[in-house]
Amino acid sequence: MTNNFITGFRLIGLQLAHPTTNQNGQSAIDCGHLWQKFETENIAGRLPEKIGDEIYAVYFDYEGDHTQPFSYFIGCKVPATTPVPAGLSSLQIATGNYVKYHAQGQMPNCMTDAWTAIWKSSLNRAYTYDFESYGEQSKDWSNAQVEIFVAVKP
């Protein structure tokens, strides 16, 4: 876990059509379906101006803390001026202070374990934009490495 100041950036990708919740495992179902659509429709491959190969999964528009509904987005980093292709959405990640966690291990269990630790932590969370960065090291699902950035209050 390390503290980071991150300058805001823009993503283009898919947004979940409705808020989801961590209650009764609903977010795992909803977010899983959005990931399937992202992969099946090769969204990352359809973005001509993307910056890097990382895929970002973003939790935002929290209606309270992590027990309340929130919105979810999956996309790739692009320049601010990139036009949004038909059928896709854009999202601007806010500049701010983030605490970086590293999830490592078998997917999706390592992500569940990391988020459980975050929820139980005493972080002074901002509940603005929290995101996961999936790079090359996340592709081996038997030993994936994913960075998680949690927005915190200054």
Side-chain angles (χ1 to χ4, degrees), residues 48-67:
E49 297 182 37
K50 72 180 179 177
I51 301 169
D53 291 325
E54 291 83 11
I55 297 171
Y56 295 85
V58 185
Y59 307 82
F60 66 106
D61 284 349
Y62 288 93
E63 294 180 19
D65 65 12
H66 67 276
T67 65

Side-chain angles (χ1 to χ4, degrees), residues 3 10 22 34 53 55 63 82 84 126-127 141 143-144 151 153:
N3 289 321
R10 185 169 181 239
N22 289 318
L34 194 66
D53 291 325
I55 297 171
E63 294 180 19
T82 303
V84 180
Y127 291 103
W141 273 45
N143 187 27
K153 295 178 182 175

Side-chain angles (χ1 to χ4, degrees), residues 110-139:
C110 68
M111 297 304 292
T112 302
D113 293 346
W115 278 107
T116 299
I118 291 165
W119 295 334
K120 290 179 177 179
S121 75
S122 60
L123 282 179
N124 190 13
R125 294 186 58 192
Y127 291 103
T128 53
Y129 296 89
D130 300 324
F131 59 93
E132 301 158 351
S133 175
Y134 293 85
E136 188 62 37
Q137 295 180 315
S138 69
K139 294 183 179 177

Side-chain angles (χ1 to χ4, degrees), residues 87-108:
L88 300 181
S89 300
S90 70
L91 183 67
Q92 180 69 34
I93 303 300
T95 295
N97 295 306
Y98 293 82
V99 172
K100 180 168 73 171
Y101 286 82
H102 293 278
Q104 182 170 358
Q106 185 173 1
M107 291 286 276

